[in-house]
Amino acid sequence: MNIGKIPNFLKIYLAYLRRKPSCNYMPSRLWIEVTNHCNLKCRLCPNKDIPKSKKGYMDFSLFKKIINQIEGINDIYLFHRGEPFLHPGIFEMIDLAKRRPVTVRIHTNATLLDQKNIKNILDSKLDFISFSFDGYLKQTYEKNRVNSNYSKTLEGILSFLNEKKKLGKKRPYTVLQVMEYDEEYGSSDFNMQKKEFIKKFEGLPLDRFVTRKPHNWGGLLNIGTGSKKKYAPCTFLWYALVILFNGDIVPCPQDFNSNLVLGNIEEISIRNAFNGKKIKKLRKDIANKNIDGIIPCNNCDRLLRSTFLGLPTDYLKTFIKDNLGIG
């Protein structure tokens, strides 16, 4: 735990509980979308529906402008809607970001883990990497991760972990995430399939194994996510911002189609975007359940969740860990 982060965590927590429209602090987390291009067409991701004309790569000068404003931010994710290792300058971006006292994280589909990228990742100062691998069996994985190859991707992850072990590296903190959402998950063989899959990583420096349930990306995916829970205002509005590859700033990663643009980083600072009129009104509306006319909030399943101590339980541990610098 980073003790120095406790005061800021308490600020965020109390601001959220009190539903304060104004936040006298910087966002704790920043998503920086280095690209929204992706080499897969996953069935549980709306990226495949983004028109080619609306896809691109973040210019390095724009990225530098963002990094120059991150004082007070705890951590940054160098990804959002796309596959970050498709960006030709991703390792220069990691290097530039790590010149600041900030935790740098990446989430990847792991399909580009060749020997060169593995070496570059382990040679970098990247703090955290999460591999998304949706399925314990070949048929499940390749149904979910369209255009991917089960054996090749798994081999890349194992090669990465073996090299990390060989070099004695503690960083990046490594997570393997599996989305459990298929008819196979209700079968009698499911637990055995899961155990056999997890065995593949025994003795390797995998720091955490995470299972997730899918969400509907603000209503963009028509999936069954269970019965509705108690209304719980979106936590993102009180601790995070997302900057898209073109500089547009949105308040939440569930705003996949950027319906709630707060401004552009070329024209407004991170601090002002996080405390501007648009986001203050949005916080008020979300707090008061005035979401009927707000896209994507009006169809987002993240607003209907079980809570504990005022925070949604499905992300309670993640929220606490991320804002206190644990893991």
Side-chain angles (χ1 to χ4, degrees), residues 29-73:
R29 163 159 299 171
L30 187 67
W31 274 264
I32 303 176
E33 180 183 79
V34 297
T35 182
N36 61 347
H37 281 283
C38 190
N39 55 335
L40 304 184
K41 295 184 181 295
C42 303
R43 68 184 183 121
L44 296 175
C45 177
N47 179 283
K48 58 186 175 296
D49 301 319
I50 301 175
K52 287 185 179 180
S53 61
K54 292 187 177 181
K55 290 190 174 184
Y57 297 89
M58 180 172 284
D59 186 79
F60 192 80
S61 62
L62 183 62
F63 181 78
K64 187 175 181 180
K65 185 181 183 74
I66 296 168
I67 295 302
N68 286 339
Q69 297 184 40
I70 65 171
E71 184 176 355
I73 293 174

Side-chain angles (χ1 to χ4, degrees), residues 216 218-220 228 231 259-260 282 286 289-304:
N216 69 1
L220 292 178
K228 291 185 176 181
Y231 181 90
N259 291 289
L260 300 172
L282 186 57
I286 294 295
K289 303 183 185 180
N290 297 327
I291 63 172
D292 288 348
I294 304 176
I295 300 172
C297 307
N298 55 358
N299 288 308
C300 185
D301 55 10
R302 313 319 283 159
L303 289 171
L304 297 163

Side-chain angles (χ1 to χ4, degrees), residues 18-184:
R18 295 168 180 170
R19 312 296 190 240
K20 293 177 66 174
S22 297
C23 298
N24 61 339
Y25 52 82
M26 285 284 278
S28 173
R29 163 159 299 171
L30 187 67
W31 274 264
I32 303 176
E33 180 183 79
V34 297
T35 182
N36 61 347
H37 281 283
C38 190
N39 55 335
L40 304 184
K41 295 184 181 295
C42 303
R43 68 184 183 121
L44 296 175
C45 177
N47 179 283
K48 58 186 175 296
D49 301 319
I50 301 175
K52 287 185 179 180
S53 61
K54 292 187 177 181
K55 290 190 174 184
Y57 297 89
M58 180 172 284
D59 186 79
F60 192 80
S61 62
L62 183 62
F63 181 78
K64 187 175 181 180
K65 185 181 183 74
I66 296 168
I67 295 302
N68 286 339
Q69 297 184 40
I70 65 171
E71 184 176 355
I73 293 174
N74 287 338
D75 60 34
I76 58 175
Y77 267 59
L78 298 184
F79 75 93
H80 177 34
R81 296 174 295 178
E83 169 50 48
F85 289 112
L86 286 174
H87 196 296
I90 185 63
F91 293 106
E92 287 79 8
M93 289 174 160
I94 294 171
D95 179 67
L96 181 65
K98 284 305 300 176
R99 295 179 192 179
R100 301 288 183 130
V102 65
T103 299
V104 179
R105 304 169 182 254
I106 276 185
H107 185 71
T108 171
N109 60 34
T111 59
L112 302 176
L113 286 178
D114 56 20
Q115 290 305 308
K116 181 180 179 182
N117 278 338
I118 288 173
K119 182 181 186 304
N120 285 336
I121 292 168
L122 292 172
D123 284 347
S124 76
K125 295 181 180 178
L126 184 67
D127 296 290
F128 177 106
I129 190 165
S130 177
F131 301 125
S132 190
F133 197 92
D134 295 340
Y136 301 120
L137 301 178
K138 177 180 173 65
Q139 61 266 32
T140 308
Y141 172 81
E142 293 183 358
K143 179 172 66 174
N144 286 328
R145 297 265 154 179
V146 179
N147 293 342
S148 187
N149 180 282
Y150 176 89
S151 298
K152 182 180 178 182
T153 308
L154 181 57
E155 181 183 348
I157 295 172
L158 292 172
S159 294
F160 172 85
L161 291 170
N162 274 298
E163 188 66 13
K164 181 183 176 186
K165 181 179 181 179
K166 176 184 173 183
L167 296 173
K169 296 276 190 176
K170 297 296 183 182
R171 286 288 186 265
Y173 186 93
T174 306
V175 175
L176 182 64
Q177 174 183 296
V178 176
M179 192 82 73
E180 295 186 348
Y181 177 73
D182 273 290
E183 56 277 7
E184 289 91 341

Side-chain angles (χ1 to χ4, degrees), residues 276-288:
K277 290 181 180 179
K278 289 183 178 180
I279 199 168
K280 287 178 182 177
K281 183 180 186 307
L282 186 57
R283 288 179 185 131
K284 287 180 181 178
D285 287 337
I286 294 295
N288 294 316

